[in-house]
Amino acid sequence: MTEVKPSGLRNPEKAVRGLGAAALSLEGLTLLLGIAPIRMLGTGHPTAAIIILIVTALAAFTLAGMMGRPWAWPAGGALQIVLIAGGLAHWMIAAVGVTFGLAWLYVLKVRRTILS
């Protein structure tokens, strides 16, 4: 039988919420920084791409503030899927979605490890 080792954190739930909030905040900032290159390149559907970037950045910031709610974790994963689908407007949005989707999977793995 293996013994379960405590994480060593005073408040593991709060630490995990902070990790999720930090990841979503960085994602929101990255999305907002993507507006200028998409506007300058003008390929694809730049207006739709900029709208997608702004809406998803606002969603990421909102979710970052709501990480204490249990539905926020699956919503963070859904945000990554929305970004990948946003690649229909511009391929760079899908690239950001894949990158942060992989980061989100890692955050979920860390969450599972710490809270188990």
Side-chain angles (χ1 to χ4, degrees):
M1 213 190 259
T2 61
E3 182 181 330
V4 176
K5 296 180 184 178
S7 67
L9 299 169
R10 286 187 196 162
N11 189 346
E13 292 85 12
K14 187 174 181 182
V16 169
R17 284 194 314 264
L19 175 64
L24 287 169
S25 296
L26 286 173
E27 182 174 7
L29 182 61
T30 303
L31 290 168
L32 290 177
L33 289 172
I35 293 172
I38 287 179
R39 200 181 102 237
M40 296 299 286
L41 291 174
T43 59
H45 303 288
T47 304
I50 290 171
I51 291 170
I52 291 169
L53 288 175
I54 292 171
V55 169
T56 53
L58 290 174
F61 291 133
T62 302
L63 284 172
M66 298 184 147
M67 290 310 295
R69 293 174 171 76
W71 55 265
W73 290 94
L79 180 65
Q80 311 315 316
I81 295 169
V82 168
L83 283 171
I84 293 169
L88 296 172
H90 203 285
W91 66 268
M92 282 194 257
I93 297 175
V96 171
V98 168
T99 303
F100 277 100
L102 292 172
W104 191 251
L105 288 175
Y106 181 71
V107 167
L108 291 175
K109 179 182 181 290
V110 170
R111 177 180 183 235
R112 187 179 64 236
T113 302
I114 289 176
L115 296 181
S116 63

